[in-house]
Amino acid sequence: MNELIGQREARVAIVGLGYVGLPLALTVCEAGFPATGFDLNADRVAMINAGARTISYLPEDRVQDAVSRGFSASADMARLAEADVIVICVPSPLSPAREPDLGYVIRATETIAERLRPGQLVVLESTVWPGATATVVKPILERRGLRAGEEFFLAFSPEREDPGNAIFTTRTIPKIVGADDLRSRDLADRFYAQIVARTVPVSSLATAEAVKLIENSFRMVNIAFVNEMKAALEAMGVDIWEVVQAAATKPFGYMPFYPGPGIGGDCIPVSPAYLAARARDVGAETPLVDLARVSTAEAPDLIAGRVAGELARYGGVAVKDARVLILGIAYKKDVEDTRESPALAILLRLEEMGATCDYHDPYFPVMPPTRDHPSLAGRASVALTAAKLASYDAVLVATDHSAVDYALLAAEARLILDTRNAFAARGIGADKARIVKI
């Protein structure tokens, strides 16, 4: 196996072709390995094999180029037996009770276990709590008698994708690699060293698992902090955006975080929950993380309340009688990803308060089915025209996509409530009292 990896002849299978698995699969292919991606979504498999760009921020020809190099996608899990290296990149979301849900990881592992053969290297990249690879994944893989570290090899390497980031990519982001035996770690490290700029080996599976949780818990705590500072400084008549931008000039001891309507995606809302749950299991406490989780979870409700207040203050309209346009339903700018999106939570909360809500998002002509808010599926994005904008009592900027005509909004909308500093950042509408940062 070591020689196959070194010569880039090891056959690589990536299980899960979403926002983590597909960029990884393409990077593996571009590094010269024979690679196959596996996904249960037959439509996605067909689109990838046709060379279609299934993730909008990928370069237009990247999938087609990989297909021309021999990359393919498949829904036939029996073919996993052909692979020398298997990387698991399936979701590990939260349950409806906001607790860790390893269902996808367990099912993927069971599928691999049915085909596992001696000599294979299995790497988990999905977010899990420290100890999960050893106590959940490993026993499933060993059910048929093969032993990890001896007859097959098992490692953990947390994904660090930042969707839409053109600077830090799968190839350039350092890769953490951990295992509980030296042979597994060395094989995994050698594999990733062929496809990324830098690997960072750590001492165990649990250490590697904890790295991801610490990274994202750090981000969530700081987002909760800056949102708290926004409310406090606003009460003092101070602009938090200007304060953060000025503070960011300090070359040490400070890292800028910016306020917003809440957190989204499958990383920042999820990792702290996995960390806190595991801490409780072992009798530890994470009060700071727990408080930040509550604070960020409440952010969409607070924004909805601010919308109601500003409608009454600037427009003289009660929220129950208001028409509100939500600008952007993705969880972050310039991606087609609604997982855990605070925009959707705000939309639903405003409707519960009696408002009539529409949305505009260039990435979602039609609202897709979502894991968190399935009732919204099928709604259509409205066009941004002067006549349409004039029909709304307020426009709420929830996600500041680049492909939006902010000058048109500033000129035509009755009231703009900006959670992202989108207008000031573009030098638009500083003289307009009806553009309000919230």
Side-chain angles (χ1 to χ4, degrees):
M1 171 68 86
N2 200 34
E3 185 175 341
L4 286 175
I5 291 174
Q7 295 176 352
R8 304 193 183 193
E9 295 176 354
R11 295 162 295 180
V12 182
I14 295 87
V15 180
L17 294 175
Y19 294 97
V20 173
L22 181 57
L24 175 64
L26 298 177
T27 303
V28 168
C29 175
E30 290 157 359
F33 285 92
T36 305
F38 291 84
D39 201 288
L40 295 177
N41 186 323
D43 290 339
R44 181 180 300 156
V45 166
M47 290 178 66
I48 290 171
N49 286 332
R53 181 174 58 173
T54 58
I55 299 176
S56 65
Y57 53 82
L58 293 176
E60 186 173 356
D61 297 330
R62 191 175 177 197
V63 176
Q64 181 61 61
D65 289 346
V67 171
S68 69
R69 292 169 182 248
F71 173 69
S72 65
S74 176
D76 180 7
M77 299 299 167
R79 293 184 56 199
L80 288 169
E82 303 169 4
D84 301 300
V85 179
I86 302 174
V87 186
I88 305 172
C89 299
V90 298
S92 48
L94 298 178
S95 71
R98 310 303 290 171
E99 293 294 327
D101 179 2
L102 293 185
Y104 292 100
V105 171
I106 290 171
R107 288 190 289 276
T109 304
E110 290 172 339
T111 298
I112 293 166
E114 293 174 6
R115 288 96 180 167
L116 191 67
R117 59 174 176 77
Q120 286 181 311
L121 168 65
V122 180
V123 184
L124 178 62
E125 290 207 0
S126 308
T127 299
V128 295
W129 40 263
T133 307
T135 62
V136 177
V137 172
K138 179 181 173 182
I140 294 172
L141 293 175
E142 290 186 333
R143 282 177 184 171
R144 298 176 64 193
L146 297 179
R147 300 271 73 84
E150 300 174 13
E151 293 146 306
F152 75 94
F153 307 98
L154 178 63
F156 184 84
S157 180
E159 63 89 3
R160 284 172 149 180
E161 287 293 319
D162 185 14
N165 192 322
I167 299 173
F168 298 109
T169 66
T170 306
R171 177 159 181 76
T172 62
I173 298 170
K175 205 80 173 75
I176 306 296
V177 180
D180 284 349
D181 67 90
L182 191 58
R183 290 181 68 190
S184 292
R185 192 185 71 176
D186 286 349
L187 278 176
D189 184 59
R190 186 167 177 78
F191 166 63
Y192 281 110
Q194 309 296 313
I195 63 173
V196 301
R198 179 189 172 201
T199 61
V200 184
V202 296
S203 61
S204 66
L205 292 167
T207 300
E209 291 161 337
V211 168
K212 176 68 178 292
L213 306 191
I214 290 291
E215 291 171 354
N216 287 320
S217 296
F218 169 83
R219 294 174 69 187
M220 187 192 66
V221 167
N222 280 280
I223 291 168
F225 168 75
V226 77
N227 276 339
E228 182 177 285
M229 290 299 98
K230 178 184 73 171
L233 292 177
E234 184 178 23
M236 304 174 199
V238 178
D239 185 345
I240 181 65
W241 295 91
E242 185 177 2
V243 170
V244 171
Q245 289 163 4
T249 63
K250 186 179 181 180
F252 58 90
Y254 182 80
M255 178 180 293
F257 284 81
Y258 297 94
I263 55 175
D266 259 12
C267 287
I268 301 177
V270 172
S271 294
Y274 278 68
L275 178 63
R278 182 57 178 158
R280 290 193 301 271
D281 288 344
V282 297
E285 296 182 352
T286 55
L288 187 60
V289 171
D290 294 339
L291 183 59
R293 289 181 64 202
V294 171
S295 176
T296 52
E298 291 176 345
D301 279 351
L302 294 176
I303 292 295
R306 284 294 307 274
V307 171
E310 300 301 337
L311 278 166
R313 178 183 175 192
Y314 283 93
V317 180
V319 66
K320 67 181 180 62
D321 301 318
R323 286 174 49 80
V324 180
L325 177 65
I326 309 295
L327 183 64
I329 60 167
Y331 83 88
K332 66 181 288 189
K333 67 185 293 184
D334 300 340
V335 301
E336 78 286 35
D337 190 346
T338 61
R339 294 175 297 174
E340 300 280 341
S341 174
L344 299 182
I346 294 168
L347 188 157
L348 285 174
R349 184 69 184 105
L350 287 171
E351 291 191 334
E352 289 170 1
M353 297 165 73
T356 299
C357 295
D358 292 321
Y359 81 91
H360 171 81
D361 193 307
Y363 291 88
F364 294 98
V366 177
M367 186 89 73
T370 63
R371 188 172 62 220
D372 311 306
H373 306 293
S375 65
L376 295 175
R379 295 197 187 189
S381 175
V382 303
L384 290 188
T385 65
K388 196 69 177 176
L389 288 169
S391 71
Y392 294 101
D393 297 294
V395 175
L396 173 69
V397 181
T399 310
D400 53 333
H401 290 307
S402 300
V404 169
D405 190 343
Y406 291 95
L408 175 67
L409 284 166
E412 302 296 340
R414 297 184 198 175
L415 174 64
I416 296 171
L417 306 173
D418 188 356
T419 72
R420 300 286 190 176
N421 200 40
F423 289 86
R426 293 168 172 80
I428 297 173
D431 58 334
K432 293 181 170 62
R434 57 189 178 77
I435 299 180
V436 182
K437 298 178 186 179
I438 65 171

